[in-house]
Amino acid sequence: MIGHPLFAVFFMLGAILFCIGIAMRLMLYWRGQWDLWALIKGVFLTLFSFKILKLVEIMVLDGILQRRLFGQDKLRWLMKVLIMIGYPGILIAGHLKADMMPQFEHFSFLTRIFYAPFCDFYFFRDVATPSLSTLDVLFAISFDLFGAMILMGEFIAIYRRFVAKTVTFKTSPGDIVAVNLLGGWFILRFFCEATSILTYSLPNSVAQYWFVSFGLSKVIGPLGLPWSSINYPLWSVAGLFLGTLVGFIPYNKKLWHIITIPVIMFINLMPHEAFKPGARRAAIPLSIKDLVSLDSCVKCGSCVSVCPVYAETQQLETTMGGFYTKLKSFVRKAYGLPMMSLSASQAKDVLKDYSEYAYLCTLCGRCSIVCPSFIDTKGTRIATRRFMVEKGQYPPSMDRLAETLDKVHNIIGEPSGDRAMWVQALPEVPQDMFQKDKAKVVYFTGCVASYFPMTKRIPQSFVQILEKTGVDFTLLGGEEWCCGFPLIAAGMKEKADAAMQHNLQKVREKGAETIVFACPSCYHTWKEECKNEIALFHSTQFIKKLIEDGKISFNEKKVKVTYHDPCDLGRASGVYEPPREILRAIPGVELIEMKGNREECKCCGGGGNLEMVRPELSAALAQAKIEEIKATGTEMVITSCQQCVRTIFSNARKKKIPINVMDIIEFVSKNMK
Ligand code: SF4
Ligand code: SF4
């Protein structure tokens, strides 16, 4: 560092601090779960596939143009876009200019990095001619333009946080330091340029292109200060700000997410298998993806405003942002610096406080859609439940669930052999009870439809549709086990694996090419775990195909209906249109959408095992859903999930609210010719 000007030295010191911070972060991730080979394979499979085009699209539309924020909050969108364009812009312009300047020719690439932000110090000092090249003019304009954009973005951030107070989470001292460093460096930079203009008495014809600094020089010029004595110290202070800013990045969540956002975008495109736990026993029972995700939360509060659980509890800890903050601080304290780590008993006490929060979530995924840090919030919530199970801090109802499933393979606790009892209530009971040795299609019924009297009309209607349309299908009957989703949601994925393998084996024995599900959670679980082997359809996709093939046609039915998107079918599986297309195919049906529809649909309260942990909270969510349905003024709510039907109907009945809830299968069956 000897021989370099102070501003470059400060930047270098900041870079050293940055590298130490990065090393500490990586050491923490190292202690998580990973399988090196699976990770490398995942990176290669993503890099050398069409997914890379998706990554470019996401980086431009979501990373730079902030597509997600546009519909949410225009001022916040503007703030982010200004910053997201300004920073890369000024970085790229600075480095391009530094690469072209003769003053830096003899520097190595690395050294040039430390001089690039200060290249105008040399440019102003050494500019020999009053006429600039076109490239010089372009650089000058772009520096000030990008710098001004960043400053405007910073001012909007300050306005939102301290004046309009639109930010949900409390501002931490670290946030204040980060904002001051970010803004301070650019303000100082403009002053540095202005003093350089004054020091070297640049003619207006040259200086005008640094339009912000030029204007500033006109304002401060009349002060008549000894600009040549001020110039170098001021550039050095700017270097100190920049060095501190860079060095602070790995230690502050707001700044660190600048690094993690592109990483998260890439990680989200990687196959799940890349993050499977390795053979070694990890100190932190969370994958690298989960740890990076936790680190990427900036407590922006977007998830708070859409969370149906928060709407009822008003407890920030139930939201992703609030929960992550708690867990992140625990992970740092428990696994951070060895000498300062929590003892095992302290860690247990802290986790006890968090354990219920991990389960106060319906896994509806509404927060995933709005999170500007692109965190797979649902996936991370499930991972944190696994973490809680590993640490032995989870609600006892999860153990009861696991015991029941272990004994009878359904969540209700009824005998396994009774799974297809609903067939006996059909007007015509087939001799084989719809259980053939071989069939092309398996109808995987799911626990709720199989056992709850309230929902048994769904499988009854579905087998009638399949029969009428001549589909060669079979049930697994008593051989069908729970798909494993409730165990995955409980954080007990390992226990679910046996059930999934059993079901897959039974389907293979039937020689089936297709499985059709009426339950979105079963469908989603199979899609995640058994992809590529067998064609998987949700009932709405299957019925839509039967309609398109001319196997189903409808009588006229004059009715106004609304449609509720089940979370695991809509947000989790991306199936929004098939149910709507079915409804549109029925003459006379008028579909009136709820305020929150498709991606924005509000959860009915029946997901994520919430009902097993806090039934009254699940019921409150259902009531909120019922209010939303009533607001449409329709005669009926149609959905495509037996659990949604059960949750909405049972809660409406408890409050004596007359509401007609029906699964789309039953609606189709009633109205088909
Ligand atoms: S989880 Fe995402 S949306 Fe929620 S506070 Fe964190 S960054 Fe914001
Ligand atoms: S998944 Fe749904 S319930 Fe859970 S935190 Fe996100 S928005 Fe709230």
Side-chain angles (χ1 to χ4, degrees):
M1 275 180 241
I2 295 163
H4 291 288
L6 264 182
F7 44 71
V9 171
F10 286 137
F11 190 8
M12 287 174 193
L13 288 172
I16 293 172
L17 213 59
F18 175 83
C19 292
I20 295 171
I22 292 270
M24 283 167 64
R25 293 264 180 184
L26 291 179
M27 271 161 59
L28 194 76
Y29 298 162
W30 177 264
R31 302 183 71 195
Q33 294 171 328
W34 47 263
D35 175 323
L36 194 57
W37 173 236
L39 259 181
I40 294 172
K41 202 172 142 198
V43 169
F44 272 88
L45 284 177
T46 313
L47 270 182
F48 301 105
S49 70
F50 285 114
K51 283 184 182 173
I52 208 71
L53 296 177
K54 184 81 192 151
L55 182 67
V56 174
E57 182 202 318
I58 295 172
M59 280 192 156
V60 174
L61 294 179
D62 291 320
I64 297 177
L65 298 179
Q66 295 291 315
R67 167 168 63 172
R68 282 190 173 186
L69 279 181
F70 188 72
Q72 287 178 45
D73 179 343
K74 294 280 185 302
L75 194 60
R76 188 155 154 237
W77 169 79
L78 182 64
M79 169 195 94
K80 282 275 228 175
V81 169
L82 287 170
I83 292 175
M84 294 310 287
I85 295 178
Y87 265 104
I90 207 157
L91 271 176
I92 295 167
H95 285 277
L96 284 177
K97 183 166 177 177
D99 280 344
M100 291 176 192
M101 284 177 62
Q103 290 92 331
F104 304 139
E105 253 171 14
H106 59 287
F107 286 161
S108 67
F109 174 75
L110 187 66
T111 313
R112 231 176 290 151
I113 288 178
F114 298 115
Y115 278 79
F118 312 102
C119 59
D120 273 345
F121 173 80
Y122 295 93
F123 192 80
F124 287 126
R125 190 190 69 183
D126 302 337
V127 66
T129 160
S131 63
L132 299 174
S133 71
T134 314
L135 210 56
D136 290 336
V137 170
L138 272 178
F139 277 132
I141 293 174
S142 54
F143 280 158
D144 277 29
L145 184 68
F146 290 133
M149 285 172 85
I150 295 166
L151 271 184
M152 270 173 66
E154 289 296 321
F155 285 134
I156 296 175
I158 291 167
Y159 169 80
R160 287 184 71 251
R161 193 164 279 272
F162 301 105
V163 183
K165 297 198 168 81
T166 50
V167 180
T168 320
F169 289 97
K170 277 192 195 139
T171 306
S172 69
D175 295 341
I176 296 175
V177 174
V179 169
N180 279 317
L181 286 172
L182 277 165
W185 150 242
F186 279 99
I187 293 173
L188 271 172
R189 192 190 157 118
F190 284 132
F191 271 98
C192 289
E193 287 176 355
T195 56
S196 282
I197 290 170
L198 293 166
T199 300
Y200 301 110
S201 306
L202 290 194
N204 290 354
S205 59
V206 171
Q208 64 181 343
Y209 298 112
W210 286 264
F211 58 96
V212 179
S213 315
F214 175 62
L216 202 55
S217 73
K218 293 290 171 203
V219 175
I220 62 170
L223 294 175
L225 298 174
W227 301 116
S228 56
S229 318
I230 290 171
N231 187 238
Y232 177 68
L234 199 60
W235 275 99
S236 304
V237 175
L240 180 64
F241 261 71
L242 180 62
T244 315
L245 172 66
V246 170
F248 198 44
I249 287 174
Y251 308 93
N252 175 272
K253 65 177 178 303
K254 281 260 179 310
L255 299 175
W256 179 239
H257 98 292
I258 300 170
I259 308 281
T260 57
I261 283 210
V263 178
I264 276 282
M265 285 174 169
F266 185 79
I267 279 179
N268 285 347
L269 293 173
M270 284 170 69
H272 292 318
E273 301 79 54
F275 302 101
K276 67 176 191 191
R280 76 190 228 292
R281 181 156 176 82
I284 314 175
L286 288 170
S287 74
I288 289 188
K289 178 179 178 179
D290 303 324
L291 288 168
V292 177
S293 297
L294 282 182
D295 262 357
S296 302
C297 174
V298 286
K299 293 209 292 179
C300 69
S302 289
C303 54
V304 177
S305 54
V306 298
C307 178
V309 173
Y310 176 76
E312 299 303 326
T313 61
Q314 297 294 306
Q315 278 180 294
L316 279 173
E317 292 83 352
T318 61
T319 68
M320 288 299 175
F323 180 65
Y324 285 164
T325 308
K326 290 235 162 217
L327 193 68
K328 220 171 4 175
S329 109
F330 170 79
V331 168
R332 218 176 302 124
K333 281 184 200 150
Y335 306 104
L337 295 173
M339 306 302 289
M340 294 159 72
S341 296
L342 295 174
S343 69
S345 69
Q346 283 171 322
K348 200 174 162 195
D349 286 345
V350 178
L351 270 188
K352 210 179 265 173
D353 290 345
Y354 302 171
S355 65
E356 202 192 19
Y357 291 128
Y359 290 83
L360 297 188
C361 163
T362 62
L363 301 178
C364 72
R366 181 77 179 87
C367 45
S368 293
I369 305 293
V370 295
C371 176
S373 295
F374 307 97
I375 303 171
D376 167 15
T377 51
K378 181 180 166 187
T380 333
R381 178 76 77 150
I382 292 176
T384 55
R385 289 183 181 184
R386 280 209 309 273
F387 178 92
M388 294 300 178
V389 170
E390 181 90 11
K391 296 286 167 197
Q393 301 293 333
Y394 56 98
S397 53
M398 297 302 112
D399 272 339
R400 291 197 292 274
L401 167 77
E403 276 164 29
T404 307
L405 284 170
D406 194 36
K407 258 193 232 148
V408 288
H409 310 299
N410 66 73
I411 54 168
I412 293 91
E414 293 289 323
S416 196
D418 290 356
R419 197 173 262 272
M421 287 281 274
W422 52 268
V423 177
Q424 290 178 359
L426 281 167
E428 284 172 38
V429 183
Q431 231 177 4
D432 64 1
M433 296 283 282
F434 297 120
Q435 289 164 54
K436 300 179 191 165
D437 290 339
K438 296 279 172 195
K440 283 199 178 125
V441 176
V442 165
Y443 165 32
F444 192 91
T445 322
C447 299
V448 174
S450 298
Y451 290 101
F452 278 102
M454 197 185 287
T455 48
K456 68 174 189 254
R457 286 196 312 263
I458 299 168
Q460 287 167 345
S461 303
F462 200 34
V463 291
Q464 285 172 328
I465 295 173
L466 296 176
E467 264 209 313
K468 270 193 200 171
T469 51
V471 176
D472 174 24
F473 78 97
T474 182
L475 306 174
L476 296 181
E479 293 295 350
E480 180 185 306
W481 289 6
C482 169
C483 68
F485 182 74
L487 285 170
I488 296 173
M492 300 171 172
K493 164 96 173 48
E494 293 68 27
K495 291 191 164 109
D497 288 343
M500 288 190 283
Q501 283 313 315
H502 165 89
N503 285 328
L504 186 58
Q505 182 54 33
K506 293 296 157 194
V507 171
R508 282 181 187 143
E509 285 169 14
K510 298 280 183 194
E513 295 156 9
T514 300
I515 312 176
V516 62
F517 307 85
C519 170
S521 303
C522 300
Y523 170 66
H524 180 62
T525 306
W526 275 78
K527 264 188 84 169
E528 290 285 301
E529 306 296 332
C530 312
K531 49 191 149 212
N532 301 335
E533 187 174 327
I534 296 172
L536 307 173
F537 285 85
H538 182 256
S539 55
T540 51
Q541 297 166 315
F542 201 79
I543 292 173
K544 184 187 153 230
K545 203 167 162 297
L546 292 173
I547 296 171
E548 284 166 354
D549 292 347
K551 294 190 175 157
I552 295 180
S553 57
F554 295 99
N555 296 310
E556 186 171 347
K557 175 77 183 170
K558 282 212 173 301
V559 63
K560 279 186 189 165
V561 302
T562 189
Y563 178 73
H564 165 71
D565 290 273
C567 304
D568 281 336
L569 187 65
R571 278 183 293 268
S573 310
V575 180
Y576 295 111
E577 293 315 313
R580 289 176 169 80
E581 284 172 36
I582 295 170
L583 293 174
R584 280 194 284 267
I586 307 175
V589 171
E590 189 184 341
L591 173 63
I592 297 172
E593 296 284 5
M594 271 178 264
K595 192 164 162 263
N597 62 72
R598 297 179 173 84
E599 276 197 338
E600 291 174 11
C601 186
K602 198 186 265 179
C603 175
C604 71
N609 297 352
L610 180 66
E611 201 184 350
M612 296 178 209
V613 181
R614 285 262 206 108
E616 77 292 351
L617 188 53
S618 166
L621 263 68
Q623 285 306 325
K625 183 81 230 181
I626 291 166
E627 291 309 316
E628 205 189 354
I629 295 167
K630 276 168 52 190
T632 62
T634 52
E635 297 149 62
M636 181 186 282
V637 57
I638 307 279
T639 187
S640 313
C641 169
Q642 47 244 30
Q643 177 68 350
C644 296
V645 169
R646 192 181 75 79
T647 309
I648 298 170
F649 183 71
S650 57
N651 281 288
R653 195 170 57 181
K654 263 183 227 154
K655 298 262 163 167
K656 300 194 172 36
I657 301 170
I659 191 168
N660 197 356
V661 194
M662 199 180 279
D663 189 281
I664 198 157
I665 293 175
E666 196 186 345
F667 194 65
V668 165
S669 166
K670 276 185 186 310
N671 295 299
M672 67 192 277
K673 279 184 181 159

